Amino acid sequence: MSYTYAGGARFEGKTALITGAGSGIGKATAIQMAREGANVALFDVSNDRILETEREINAIREGSARAFDVDIADPVRVEKAVLEAVELFGGLHIIFANAGINGVVGPIEELSIEDWRQTLSTNLDGTFLTVKYTIPHLKKNGGGSIIITSSINGNQRFTSFGMSAYSTSKAGQTGFAKMAALELAKFRIRVNVIYPGAISTNIDETTEKSEGLKQITIPVQFPEGNQPLADGPGQPEQVADLVTFLASDHSRHITGAQIVIDGAESLLF
């Protein structure tokens, strides 16, 4: 059964492409969009999580979801999967460039060039490739919405010691989103970037902490209740609410914006 919004399904007849769709924010957004009528192309590395997401969504509305095995840092695999998704669903209208990793966390002098490149390749190159290969299909439909998941880290705050590669990639996403918003405005393609704070996801599974991390960490007394709007980290579904708003016609005059969703976390430190 579809969830109806303001008298109808907001995304009926539309297709959303979501990277990092196997868990966390990507999964929550895919489920919500499917409930509101969208077909969803689920991009992630093939594993049990992405297949389970596909099953859950197709149980909501049969045939509305398809999982694609994609490494978003690989241009060949991204382009191939985009073309397959377009052929299957008939076009693209919404792009949620959400996939990302924390990567290796540690002192700059201990990071190898491979560590650095892996984080930037996944987070920044992956965003570029996702947008690059989907733009032609948005243009064919006369416009669309692109949403990019960045972070408060690298934009609003810089207290995550050892995350130089991650923070650099997240700041880069902001610059890319703003340039893309200007470039694509005349094609009626909107581009916005979101800054989540601490959200309950499994991104920490990809994090590798260096032994030298203790040497560069400056002791910080974090305030009690560092999520003023909640009792703990935000939930993926709360971010999904923001993404679906930015994907919908209700935000049709919003582009080039960066929107913080962190329960006031970044205002404290």
Side-chain angles (χ1 to χ4, degrees):
M1 182 176 68
S2 295
Y3 170 76
T4 57
Y5 184 91
R10 276 194 290 187
F11 305 117
E12 187 171 356
K14 294 187 176 182
T15 296
L17 185 156
I18 299 171
T19 68
S23 61
I25 294 169
K27 177 177 181 177
T29 301
I31 291 172
Q32 184 161 324
M33 287 188 176
R35 284 175 174 161
E36 297 192 45
N39 293 319
V40 285
L42 310 169
F43 281 27
D44 212 326
V45 176
S46 184
N47 54 38
D48 290 341
R49 283 197 294 252
I50 190 65
L51 296 176
E52 177 57 29
T53 300
E54 181 186 58
R55 285 191 291 269
E56 284 185 40
I57 293 174
N58 284 327
I60 296 169
R61 208 174 76 257
E62 187 176 354
S64 62
R66 172 71 67 84
F68 295 85
D69 179 16
V70 185
D71 175 356
I72 62 164
D74 183 335
V76 174
R77 289 172 70 178
V78 174
E79 183 179 23
K80 180 176 182 289
V82 168
L83 292 173
E84 290 175 354
V86 169
E87 183 177 1
L88 176 65
F89 292 120
L92 292 173
H93 307 84
I94 300 160
I95 310 302
F96 185 27
N98 166 72
I101 61 172
N102 284 340
V104 176
V105 178
I108 293 170
E109 70 267 31
E110 290 187 9
L111 292 179
S112 68
I113 189 63
E114 290 76 22
D115 295 335
W116 173 268
R117 286 175 175 166
Q118 181 184 23
T119 302
L120 267 70
S121 180
T122 300
N123 295 354
L124 197 49
D125 292 358
T127 297
F128 165 73
L129 293 171
T130 301
V131 173
K132 170 183 170 62
Y133 289 119
T134 56
I135 285 174
H137 305 288
L138 296 178
K139 286 182 176 179
K140 284 181 183 178
N141 287 325
S145 178
I146 298 171
I147 303 101
I148 296 170
T149 299
S150 182
S151 174
I152 59 173
N153 292 300
N155 291 289
Q156 299 290 114
R157 52 175 281 192
F158 298 87
T159 55
S160 296
F161 298 101
M163 298 190 77
S164 57
Y166 178 84
S167 294
T168 298
S169 71
K170 292 299 165 179
Q173 285 178 312
T174 297
F176 176 72
K178 288 180 177 294
M179 293 304 297
L182 279 174
E183 180 179 324
L184 300 174
K186 65 181 177 181
F187 303 106
R188 301 184 66 81
I189 298 172
R190 298 182 295 106
V191 185
N192 293 291
V193 59
I194 63 171
Y195 294 170
I199 305 294
S200 294
T201 70
N202 65 347
I203 193 171
D204 286 340
E205 293 178 7
T206 66
T207 305
E208 180 183 337
K209 294 186 178 181
S210 163
E211 288 293 329
L213 186 59
K214 294 179 182 178
Q215 299 174 11
I216 64 167
T217 300
I218 299 171
V220 177
Q221 185 67 40
F222 293 112
E224 291 184 11
N226 58 10
Q227 297 284 333
L229 205 58
D231 295 328
Q235 298 302 310
E237 291 77 14
Q238 292 170 318
V239 184
D241 286 339
L242 172 60
V243 176
T244 53
F245 166 71
L246 291 172
S248 75
D249 289 340
H250 291 83
S251 62
R252 59 188 176 275
H253 197 55
I254 301 175
T255 192
Q258 65 269 13
I259 301 175
V260 176
I261 176 165
D262 71 348
E265 174 187 345
S266 58
L267 300 180
L268 284 172
F269 44 82

